[in-house]
Amino acid sequence: DGPLFLRARCGDLVVVEGEDPGDWWMGHVLHVVGSARGPEPSLFQIACIDSGVVRMVNADQVIERLPFTLFQTTHDQRHRHQ
């Protein structure tokens, strides 16, 4: 299926590999920057869910992804039952 970062989209919750081995953090994808050589993403603008700090990260640092549609469906289901 190719590298994970190829499926990441705006609104997704992602796990980003930190600078130190075993270090990681989670954030929401705010913006995707395409590659100069093709449509593949090369950079992501991601807001850390703990601090709110917005960082630009290399696409290959994204090591896990929870799609935005997963959250949207859960949110819609919760509000339907209220």
Side-chain angles (χ1 to χ4, degrees):
D1 236 31
L4 178 74
F5 66 81
L6 292 177
R7 296 186 300 272
R9 303 286 181 260
C10 288
D12 288 353
L13 181 64
V14 294
V15 177
V16 180
E17 185 175 41
E19 294 179 18
D20 297 323
D23 188 25
W24 58 271
W25 55 277
M26 293 180 71
H28 285 279
V29 177
L30 303 176
H31 184 69
V32 179
V33 179
S35 169
R37 296 183 184 137
E40 304 86 25
S42 60
L43 293 170
F44 291 105
Q45 185 180 46
I46 300 174
C48 177
I49 62 168
D50 290 327
S51 67
V53 173
V54 176
R55 305 178 196 181
M56 292 297 289
V57 300
N58 289 321
D60 60 354
Q61 287 179 268
V62 174
I63 56 176
E64 192 58 65
R65 170 186 174 251
L66 296 172
F68 173 73
T69 53
L70 179 68
F71 300 109
Q72 189 175 27
T73 302
T74 303
H75 177 268
D76 292 346
Q77 288 173 348
R78 274 195 214 134
H79 286 283
R80 247 186 261 146
H81 296 289
Q82 291 181 351

